[in-house]
Amino acid sequence: MQRRLPESGATRTFDPAPLNGAGELAYAWARDLFPINRSLTGPGVRQTLAYLARLLPPLQIHAVASGTKAFDWTVPQEWDIAEGFLEDEHGRRVIDFAESNLHIVGYSTPIDTWLTLEELEPHLYSLPDQPDAVPYVTSYYEPRWGFCLAHRVRKTLVPGRYHAVIRARHFNGVLNYADMILPGETAEQILLSTYVCHPSMANNELSGPVVTAALGRWLLSLPRRRYTYRLVFAPETIGAIVYLSRNLDRLKDKVRAGFVLSCVGDDRGYSYIASRQSNSLADRAARHVLAHHAPGFTAYSFLERGSDERQYCSPGADLPVCSVLRTRHGRYPEYHTSLDDLSLISPAGLQGAVDIYAKIVWLLENNRRWRTRLPGEPQLGRLGLYPTLSRRGSSAEARPLRNFLAYADGTLDLIDVADTIGVDALGLLGAIGTLEDAGIVVQTEG
Amino acid sequence: MQRRLPESGATRTFDPAPLNGAGELAYAWARDLFPINRSLTGPGVRQTLAYLARLLPPLQIHAVASGTKAFDWTVPQEWDIAEGFLEDEHGRRVIDFAESNLHIVGYSTPIDTWLTLEELEPHLYSLPDQPDAVPYVTSYYEPRWGFCLAHRVRKTLVPGRYHAVIRARHFNGVLNYADMILPGETAEQILLSTYVCHPSMANNELSGPVVTAALGRWLLSLPRRRYTYRLVFAPETIGAIVYLSRNLDRLKDKVRAGFVLSCVGDDRGYSYIASRQSNSLADRAARHVLAHHAPGFTAYSFLERGSDERQYCSPGADLPVCSVLRTRHGRYPEYHTSLDDLSLISPAGLQGAVDIYAKIVWLLENNRRWRTRLPGEPQLGRLGLYPTLSRRGSSAEARPLRNFLAYADGTLDLIDVADTIGVDALGLLGAIGTLEDAGIVVQTEG
Amino acid sequence: MQRRLPESGATRTFDPAPLNGAGELAYAWARDLFPINRSLTGPGVRQTLAYLARLLPPLQIHAVASGTKAFDWTVPQEWDIAEGFLEDEHGRRVIDFAESNLHIVGYSTPIDTWLTLEELEPHLYSLPDQPDAVPYVTSYYEPRWGFCLAHRVRKTLVPGRYHAVIRARHFNGVLNYADMILPGETAEQILLSTYVCHPSMANNELSGPVVTAALGRWLLSLPRRRYTYRLVFAPETIGAIVYLSRNLDRLKDKVRAGFVLSCVGDDRGYSYIASRQSNSLADRAARHVLAHHAPGFTAYSFLERGSDERQYCSPGADLPVCSVLRTRHGRYPEYHTSLDDLSLISPAGLQGAVDIYAKIVWLLENNRRWRTRLPGEPQLGRLGLYPTLSRRGSSAEARPLRNFLAYADGTLDLIDVADTIGVDALGLLGAIGTLEDAGIVVQTEG
């Protein structure tokens, strides 16, 4: 009798216990990381990656020199900002980088000059319809300087002269990112990618790195893994492009499913952004878990992508990478403003994302093809899986398992079968184990 | 000029005349068969098969010994029940098998004992929400004994002692089934399968065997048959499994379309249960005929299967077997109770099922691929198939035939073409014959 | 760096200027052609084709002898009518062919006889529900004679004797049609086909030949053409069949997309009739342009075809030929009556059809497959195609172009990509040109 492959780790029922408290922990990490002034490059990114490496010891931090070519892009100069402020004629600081790192346009060129309010205006960024929010503005690839401020404050500025000071420098340094490989029983990989380039904002972005770190620690704790896991922490866009350019063949060869973790900390709901392939293993697993564990989630097509899936799924890479999020970037009012702070995310919100991603991982780990060993329905009664007394309606409770068997033909994987029969795949794992033990079903290659 | 293959029997218009009276006849057979105590095995099945063999002389009755392995199953012992009753302290028979064979749980073990009402309760089966119905209960694969009774009667039982007697025996005997092969011009087969294991119930099950017998007699009467027909009468589940296990290669090699005939006797409507393949030739023919001749029929997916399509369509067999029914099992209140009696079925109900199945058979017999012999539309006017006077709207009546020709490309079969152009395929057969005779269309292999 | 193929003519933005005034011109041509008595054969067709050849000098006029076989058909005799009238006993002309060529049933046999009104009735055709309209009636393939008249006039006919005179002759002559080939950079062809066999009716049919002529003149004026264009003017049905029979292999080998131009002159709306293939290049281009430039157009399946797509798409030819129309034949009340006159069409109506067809042609000319040269998103900011200042919402305007790039994988053509991303393909051409010039995208074969 052919038996299940014992090294596969298949048909283990999902155990949520090891994830208890992950949300609280992740929230504490986010609180630590919040004040750091991250950007595409610079000390803030290094500080952040160093913190993450303490959580995930296998994490490797990499540096790429400014000016390095990466596909159509060039690694920008490093940016280091010492201080930035705007003072009025009376020396009163109207805006101060020391209060919030959102106050200075990202990658601002240095300036130290006096201007009239009128001359200053083109350098000020505020949001009239959100007067209390400081917007997040950057100018990575065009030299500019500017201040971001609450519109409420901006309206208090009176005509007069202002002293604009930004002590920053751009220089040939490095761009940093980090990755780690958790080996599994096969060389096939699951990619988890998140980004570290935004200053003090919580849902976008800190929820991404801390949820990824929590998942990484859980993966490290597993007694065995079918897949090899690749975790990536890199600045958005340019970091992902650099990462792709340095690992393209490896990624195309090995990655079976990937996910961009972003905006995974609030409590409002769940959403999903399809990969370019739209029906890849990653998409199928994500949609299946969301449908059964976060019904009502919002599904976005690849046309509404927004983060590093843009790079991973680009035609020349075309990796099976989708994204599962809480409220996605651009669809909540606090997005890219100072209002996206630690009050917007919560331990429960982070825990929810950790749980969903862990279930997706678990489904991938156990997503096998099974086939029944013999034609005909098996005699489930003798396994205690079917009532031995036949009366009207008595077969109803065994229906999910019988439907599983009806489609266990060795060509459909667990996700396909569970989608076909309309049940949660994770809920079938225990009974499938019983069927495997009894030799009713066997795993097939494919 | 290539001509239609004369031996094919194609393009004969469907003639309903030979089916007249089939419903009346089938009803009379059901009346004869109703009192017999059928079960998985035993004299009741043999008596039923013998009756059917008188209607269908080619029918072969087979016997398989108890204990024989069949895939995951073992043929059970034979069950023979002599009598069964429950008497109260005053010797009054509260329940008597002689009154209805539904009163004893199928495959009950023998018993002859006195019990209190309290001790008796776990052995009594009734339906509180259908107080007049005696439920149908079996326990084939777990030794049990029990009585089934109307809940109305059960409520009259007073505390006291009761004498429970079931004189039955289980012994190594045989399981019986019957089949017949009606040879056709090709070795390709159409399977009609029905079951004979339920005691006195009319829609489920006697309608199945009697409609199948009526169809068998009609098939015998046809001057020629393109397909070979295989008719099977076997106990449900274990019988179908035994049948499959003894004929698997033959069936997989030859069966092009199959149907499970069950619940084909009431007047309430029509329904259809898809095969596992869901778009097999059997499904396409069944849905086409139902759409045009029983509009409003209820379509069930394979997830809602219930009878021997469970075995025929199981992954290891995967035969193209669907089911066309009147009101399906489990979806009418009398199902699996004494209320499913001869008043629930009718000659008209049976006739309707015979007619639908005959049309399905006829469609299969004539389901050819045709192609037009020449490019361009043919000059239909000279065949009298198109008005020679052209005025506004004059082409409307010829539209179905012109649409047929527009899709007669030799790759689509008649069902595909008729579905594409939205007309009843059977209604096209006469005109297709004219087109064949005129050399406008020819049949293609495929 | 691979560059766009300069000889391809791709990525030129559509220029509507050369089409200005086409509608006025086409209307003038229709006015000239309106009085001519066209039929399947005869001097009216020749006069019409000669007029068109003056507009389109490359046009070749062909003649096929009566009695020539063409697939299932035979070229009919030529019909020439000198006069036709109905007079009452007082010599008053009740009906006169000289007033309208619709008054005589097309292909009427000659007659010169006196009849009673009762005897005359079977030879009279009128429309009770459109009492002012003279219907258009023909009897090409069955000898008949008849008069068509307004029902209002018919009701004035009093009992008495009438003199019916039709001086016509049928003789072995020729059937005429015309075609022209405009060579392009490749031998692959676009077919534009229209018909010339209806007497004085404007939307069906004169709009077809005059819009086709306008498009032909525009195509002649283009500095280069990727495709070779084949324009056909032939009597409907028999003309198309003759044309197919004489050019079948050429057409099957070379035609990549084709269109039947008919009913393209009124102002009421746009419609489309799918080819038999239903998703051919012609269909995809037509639907795409209509969706973006004539939203609300009516789409008909191939089941509702009506003109020469019946022949071009017939199973033995199966060319990718669809039809884009204004109000289609049979769906406007004036159809096939004297009310389909020059007041039903308009310069604006004709111009609209010319514009839509020119856009379809332009889309076909530029329907390439592009792929991005490098993985990852390109750095659009340096091309001025993306804002260099990143703030909330700043990426929205670049979204169509970024979506184009996300699907520019070398396998999807422009129509596929534009349909996928939901934008007008013609609107992308300018930016694609910029991307090609910058080496961001390159064309692929396929």
Side-chain angles (χ1 to χ4, degrees):
Chain A
M1 189 176 73
Q2 218 179 323
R3 298 299 308 272
R4 62 168 149 161
L5 314 173
E7 73 279 16
S8 73
T11 66
R12 290 169 292 162
T13 301
F14 177 69
D15 177 9
L19 298 164
N20 286 348
E24 290 285 355
L25 214 51
Y27 190 81
W29 301 334
R31 202 162 38 204
D32 291 346
L33 292 166
F34 191 77
I36 300 172
N37 182 44
R38 279 165 296 276
S39 182
L40 290 191
T41 59
V45 178
R46 278 187 291 275
Q47 203 179 332
T48 301
L49 294 177
Y51 182 96
L52 293 165
R54 285 192 294 277
L55 301 177
L56 295 167
L59 203 65
Q60 301 290 318
I61 301 176
H62 305 270
V64 183
S66 302
T68 303
K69 298 291 285 179
F71 299 140
D72 195 46
W73 300 65
T74 304
V75 173
Q77 287 197 309
E78 196 167 322
W79 182 60
D80 193 10
I81 176 167
E83 66 172 341
F85 58 82
L86 185 72
E87 286 181 350
D88 65 13
E89 293 171 32
H90 313 292
R92 199 159 35 89
R93 292 216 168 171
V94 182
I95 304 172
D96 194 344
F97 178 71
E99 280 176 16
S100 163
N101 52 33
L102 292 177
H103 275 318
I104 303 298
V105 167
Y107 261 63
S108 273
T109 49
I111 191 77
D112 184 344
T113 191
W114 284 88
L115 319 85
T116 64
L117 180 56
E118 195 182 23
E119 290 164 338
L120 183 62
E121 288 288 2
H123 297 278
L124 298 183
Y125 301 96
S126 65
L127 299 167
D129 56 346
Q130 283 179 294
D132 292 317
V134 180
Y136 169 53
V137 180
T138 63
S139 182
Y140 295 134
Y141 298 100
E142 181 82 14
R144 270 198 190 85
W145 64 267
F147 294 92
C148 304
L149 70 167
H151 200 67
R152 182 185 42 72
V153 173
R154 185 176 189 167
K155 286 195 295 184
T156 66
L157 298 186
V158 293
R161 290 171 55 78
Y162 288 87
H163 189 193
V165 176
I166 299 175
R167 303 206 199 285
R169 58 190 192 109
H170 298 75
F171 59 96
N172 287 332
V174 297
L175 174 141
N176 299 101
Y177 66 85
D179 69 355
M180 62 187 268
I181 303 286
L182 295 182
E185 288 157 5
T186 71
E188 299 186 314
Q189 295 187 359
I190 307 296
L191 169 71
L192 303 178
S193 181
T194 189
Y195 46 90
V196 284
C197 61
H198 290 57
S200 301
M201 283 174 294
N203 195 38
N204 182 36
E205 81 183 8
L206 280 176
S207 66
V210 300
V211 164
T212 306
L215 287 164
R217 285 159 67 101
W218 172 71
L219 287 165
L220 274 165
S221 78
L222 294 179
R224 67 188 188 207
R225 293 175 292 270
R226 170 182 173 190
Y227 284 108
T228 293
Y229 288 80
R230 179 186 287 265
L231 275 62
V232 179
F233 302 80
E236 204 179 10
T237 305
I238 182 66
I241 284 167
V242 164
Y243 194 78
L244 255 186
S245 75
R246 296 186 135 205
N247 296 280
L248 185 63
D249 290 344
R250 255 182 301 261
L251 293 166
K252 289 177 82 158
D253 186 41
K254 296 209 161 54
V255 172
R256 295 294 169 269
F259 303 89
V260 170
L261 287 93
S262 164
C263 301
V264 283
D266 71 325
D267 285 313
R268 289 162 178 159
Y270 289 91
S271 51
Y272 151 80
I273 299 171
S275 77
R276 184 177 177 280
Q277 300 173 14
S278 88
N279 209 25
S280 74
L281 177 59
D283 294 277
R284 293 193 300 121
R287 285 195 303 253
H288 186 86
V289 168
L290 287 167
H292 290 279
H293 297 278
F297 76 97
T298 305
Y300 297 98
S301 84
F302 185 63
L303 295 179
E304 302 184 82
R305 70 201 176 282
S307 180
D308 285 333
E309 64 274 12
R310 285 159 29 211
Q311 315 310 328
Y312 292 123
C313 298
S314 63
D318 203 19
L319 298 175
V321 174
C322 68
S323 193
V324 171
L325 317 91
R326 305 288 315 228
T327 309
R328 61 157 284 175
H329 29 77
R331 299 294 165 98
Y332 57 97
E334 302 87 351
Y335 173 71
H336 269 202
T337 75
S338 57
L339 303 181
D340 186 351
D341 61 18
L342 290 166
S343 71
L344 191 67
I345 66 172
S346 74
L350 296 162
Q351 180 76 48
V354 170
D355 287 346
I356 286 286
Y357 267 107
K359 289 190 171 89
I360 292 169
V361 162
W362 203 256
L363 179 53
L364 291 169
E365 285 279 313
N366 290 280
N367 185 44
R368 299 286 183 173
R369 286 173 174 79
W370 282 276
R371 66 171 177 79
T372 52
R373 206 171 47 84
L374 295 169
E377 290 184 316
Q379 227 272 49
L380 293 177
R382 64 177 170 82
L383 300 178
L385 295 171
Y386 195 79
T388 56
L389 185 81
S390 170
R391 53 204 303 196
R392 205 169 58 182
S394 59
S395 66
E397 64 188 289
R399 189 150 284 269
L401 192 59
R402 290 168 77 198
N403 281 342
F404 167 78
L405 288 163
Y407 288 95
D409 62 2
T411 71
L412 301 173
D413 65 20
L414 177 60
I415 300 172
D416 282 333
V417 173
D419 280 342
T420 301
I421 71 178
V423 303
D424 177 16
L426 296 175
L428 288 171
L429 289 175
I432 294 174
T434 304
L435 294 172
E436 278 194 313
D437 288 342
I440 301 287
V441 296
V442 293
Q443 293 180 18
T444 61
E445 295 304 309
Chain B
M1 190 176 72
Q2 217 178 323
R3 298 300 307 271
R4 63 168 149 159
L5 315 173
E7 74 279 16
S8 71
T11 65
R12 290 168 292 162
T13 300
F14 177 69
D15 177 10
L19 298 162
N20 287 347
E24 291 285 354
L25 213 51
Y27 190 81
W29 301 334
R31 202 160 38 204
D32 290 346
L33 292 166
F34 191 78
I36 301 172
N37 180 45
R38 278 164 297 275
S39 182
L40 290 192
T41 59
V45 177
R46 279 187 290 276
Q47 203 178 332
T48 301
L49 294 176
Y51 183 96
L52 292 165
R54 285 193 293 278
L55 301 177
L56 295 167
L59 203 65
Q60 300 291 316
I61 300 176
H62 306 270
V64 183
S66 304
T68 303
K69 298 290 286 179
F71 300 140
D72 196 45
W73 300 65
T74 304
V75 172
Q77 286 196 310
E78 197 166 324
W79 181 60
D80 192 10
I81 175 168
E83 66 172 342
F85 57 83
L86 186 72
E87 285 181 349
D88 64 15
E89 294 169 31
H90 314 291
R92 201 159 33 90
R93 294 219 167 169
V94 182
I95 303 173
D96 194 344
F97 177 72
E99 281 176 14
S100 162
N101 51 32
L102 293 177
H103 275 317
I104 304 298
V105 167
Y107 261 63
S108 273
T109 50
I111 191 79
D112 184 343
T113 192
W114 284 89
L115 317 87
T116 63
L117 180 56
E118 196 182 20
E119 290 164 338
L120 185 62
E121 288 287 2
H123 298 277
L124 297 183
Y125 301 96
S126 65
L127 300 167
D129 56 346
Q130 284 178 293
D132 292 318
V134 178
Y136 169 53
V137 179
T138 64
S139 181
Y140 296 134
Y141 298 100
E142 181 82 14
R144 269 198 191 85
W145 63 266
F147 293 92
C148 304
L149 69 167
H151 200 69
R152 183 183 43 71
V153 173
R154 185 177 190 167
K155 286 194 297 186
T156 65
L157 299 186
V158 293
R161 289 171 54 78
Y162 289 87
H163 189 194
V165 175
I166 299 176
R167 304 206 199 284
R169 58 188 191 111
H170 298 76
F171 59 97
N172 288 329
V174 297
L175 174 141
N176 299 102
Y177 66 86
D179 69 354
M180 62 186 269
I181 303 287
L182 295 183
E185 289 156 6
T186 72
E188 300 185 314
Q189 293 186 359
I190 307 296
L191 169 71
L192 302 179
S193 181
T194 190
Y195 47 91
V196 283
C197 62
H198 290 58
S200 300
M201 284 174 292
N203 194 39
N204 182 36
E205 78 183 13
L206 279 176
S207 66
V210 299
V211 164
T212 306
L215 288 165
R217 285 158 67 99
W218 172 70
L219 288 164
L220 274 165
S221 78
L222 294 178
R224 67 190 189 205
R225 295 175 291 272
R226 171 184 172 187
Y227 284 109
T228 292
Y229 288 80
R230 179 186 288 265
L231 275 60
V232 179
F233 301 79
E236 203 178 11
T237 305
I238 183 65
I241 284 167
V242 165
Y243 194 78
L244 255 186
S245 75
R246 298 186 134 205
N247 296 280
L248 185 63
D249 290 344
R250 257 182 300 262
L251 293 166
K252 288 177 82 160
D253 187 41
K254 295 208 163 55
V255 171
R256 296 293 169 269
F259 304 88
V260 171
L261 288 93
S262 164
C263 302
V264 284
D266 71 325
D267 285 313
R268 289 162 177 160
Y270 289 90
S271 52
Y272 151 80
I273 299 171
S275 78
R276 183 178 177 280
Q277 299 173 14
S278 89
N279 209 25
S280 73
L281 177 59
D283 295 277
R284 295 194 299 121
R287 286 195 303 254
H288 186 85
V289 168
L290 287 167
H292 290 280
H293 297 277
F297 76 98
T298 305
Y300 297 99
S301 84
F302 185 63
L303 295 178
E304 302 184 81
R305 70 201 176 282
S307 182
D308 286 332
E309 65 273 12
R310 284 158 30 211
Q311 315 311 328
Y312 292 123
C313 298
S314 64
D318 203 19
L319 298 175
V321 175
C322 67
S323 193
V324 170
L325 318 89
R326 305 289 313 228
T327 309
R328 62 156 282 175
H329 28 78
R331 300 294 166 98
Y332 57 97
E334 303 87 352
Y335 173 71
H336 269 201
T337 75
S338 58
L339 303 181
D340 186 351
D341 62 17
L342 289 166
S343 72
L344 191 67
I345 64 171
S346 73
L350 296 161
Q351 180 76 47
V354 170
D355 288 345
I356 286 286
Y357 268 108
K359 288 189 172 90
I360 292 170
V361 162
W362 203 255
L363 179 53
L364 291 168
E365 287 278 312
N366 291 279
N367 185 44
R368 299 286 184 174
R369 287 174 174 78
W370 283 276
R371 66 170 177 78
T372 52
R373 206 170 48 82
L374 295 170
E377 291 184 314
Q379 227 272 51
L380 293 177
R382 64 178 169 81
L383 300 179
L385 296 171
Y386 195 80
T388 55
L389 185 81
S390 171
R391 54 204 300 197
R392 206 167 59 183
S394 59
S395 66
E397 65 188 290
R399 188 151 283 267
L401 192 59
R402 290 168 77 196
N403 281 342
F404 168 79
L405 287 164
Y407 288 94
D409 62 3
T411 72
L412 301 172
D413 65 20
L414 177 60
I415 300 172
D416 282 334
V417 173
D419 280 342
T420 301
I421 70 177
V423 302
D424 177 15
L426 295 175
L428 288 171
L429 289 174
I432 295 173
T434 303
L435 293 172
E436 278 194 313
D437 288 341
I440 301 288
V441 296
V442 293
Q443 292 180 19
T444 62
E445 295 305 308
Chain C
M1 190 175 72
Q2 216 179 324
R3 299 301 306 272
R4 64 168 149 161
L5 315 173
E7 74 279 16
S8 72
T11 66
R12 289 168 293 161
T13 300
F14 177 69
D15 177 10
L19 297 163
N20 287 347
E24 290 285 356
L25 213 52
Y27 190 82
W29 301 335
R31 202 161 38 204
D32 289 348
L33 292 166
F34 191 78
I36 300 173
N37 180 45
R38 278 166 295 276
S39 183
L40 290 191
T41 60
V45 177
R46 277 187 292 275
Q47 200 178 335
T48 301
L49 294 176
Y51 182 97
L52 292 165
R54 285 193 295 275
L55 301 177
L56 295 167
L59 203 65
Q60 300 291 317
I61 300 176
H62 304 271
V64 182
S66 303
T68 303
K69 298 290 286 179
F71 301 139
D72 196 46
W73 300 66
T74 304
V75 172
Q77 286 197 309
E78 196 166 323
W79 182 60
D80 192 11
I81 176 167
E83 67 172 341
F85 57 82
L86 186 71
E87 286 181 349
D88 65 13
E89 293 171 33
H90 314 292
R92 201 158 33 89
R93 292 218 167 170
V94 182
I95 303 173
D96 194 344
F97 178 71
E99 279 176 16
S100 162
N101 51 34
L102 293 178
H103 275 318
I104 303 298
V105 167
Y107 260 63
S108 273
T109 49
I111 191 80
D112 184 344
T113 192
W114 283 88
L115 318 86
T116 64
L117 179 56
E118 197 181 22
E119 289 164 338
L120 184 61
E121 287 288 0
H123 297 278
L124 297 184
Y125 301 96
S126 64
L127 299 168
D129 55 347
Q130 285 179 293
D132 292 318
V134 179
Y136 169 53
V137 179
T138 63
S139 182
Y140 295 135
Y141 299 99
E142 181 83 16
R144 271 198 189 86
W145 64 266
F147 294 92
C148 304
L149 70 167
H151 200 69
R152 182 184 43 71
V153 173
R154 185 177 189 167
K155 287 196 294 187
T156 66
L157 298 186
V158 293
R161 289 171 55 77
Y162 288 87
H163 189 194
V165 175
I166 299 175
R167 302 205 199 284
R169 58 190 192 107
H170 297 76
F171 59 97
N172 288 330
V174 296
L175 173 142
N176 298 102
Y177 66 85
D179 69 355
M180 63 186 269
I181 304 286
L182 295 182
E185 288 157 5
T186 72
E188 300 186 314
Q189 294 186 0
I190 307 296
L191 169 71
L192 303 178
S193 180
T194 190
Y195 46 90
V196 284
C197 61
H198 290 58
S200 300
M201 284 173 293
N203 194 38
N204 182 36
E205 79 183 13
L206 279 175
S207 66
V210 299
V211 164
T212 306
L215 287 164
R217 285 160 67 101
W218 172 70
L219 287 165
L220 275 165
S221 79
L222 294 178
R224 67 191 187 203
R225 294 175 293 270
R226 171 183 172 189
Y227 284 108
T228 293
Y229 288 81
R230 178 186 287 266
L231 275 61
V232 178
F233 302 79
E236 205 179 10
T237 305
I238 182 65
I241 285 167
V242 164
Y243 194 77
L244 255 186
S245 75
R246 296 186 135 204
N247 295 279
L248 185 63
D249 290 344
R250 255 183 300 261
L251 292 166
K252 288 177 83 160
D253 186 42
K254 296 209 161 56
V255 171
R256 295 294 168 270
F259 303 89
V260 170
L261 288 92
S262 163
C263 302
V264 283
D266 72 325
D267 285 312
R268 288 162 179 160
Y270 289 90
S271 51
Y272 150 80
I273 299 171
S275 78
R276 184 176 177 281
Q277 300 174 12
S278 88
N279 209 26
S280 74
L281 178 59
D283 294 277
R284 295 193 300 122
R287 286 195 303 254
H288 185 86
V289 167
L290 286 167
H292 290 278
H293 298 278
F297 76 97
T298 305
Y300 297 98
S301 84
F302 186 62
L303 295 178
E304 302 184 82
R305 69 201 175 282
S307 181
D308 286 333
E309 64 274 11
R310 285 159 28 211
Q311 314 311 328
Y312 291 124
C313 297
S314 63
D318 203 18
L319 298 175
V321 174
C322 68
S323 192
V324 171
L325 319 89
R326 306 288 314 228
T327 309
R328 63 157 282 176
H329 29 77
R331 299 296 166 97
Y332 58 96
E334 302 87 350
Y335 173 72
H336 269 202
T337 75
S338 58
L339 303 181
D340 186 352
D341 62 17
L342 289 167
S343 71
L344 190 67
I345 65 171
S346 72
L350 296 161
Q351 179 76 46
V354 169
D355 288 346
I356 286 286
Y357 268 108
K359 288 189 172 90
I360 292 170
V361 162
W362 203 256
L363 179 53
L364 291 169
E365 286 277 313
N366 290 280
N367 185 45
R368 299 287 183 172
R369 286 172 175 79
W370 282 275
R371 66 170 177 80
T372 52
R373 206 170 48 83
L374 294 170
E377 290 184 316
Q379 227 273 50
L380 293 177
R382 65 179 169 80
L383 300 178
L385 296 171
Y386 196 79
T388 56
L389 185 81
S390 170
R391 53 203 304 196
R392 205 167 58 183
S394 59
S395 67
E397 64 189 288
R399 189 150 281 269
L401 192 58
R402 290 168 78 196
N403 280 343
F404 167 78
L405 287 164
Y407 288 95
D409 63 2
T411 71
L412 301 173
D413 66 20
L414 176 61
I415 299 172
D416 282 333
V417 174
D419 280 342
T420 300
I421 70 176
V423 302
D424 177 15
L426 296 175
L428 288 170
L429 289 175
I432 294 173
T434 303
L435 293 172
E436 279 194 313
D437 287 343
I440 300 289
V441 296
V442 292
Q443 292 181 19
T444 62
E445 295 305 309

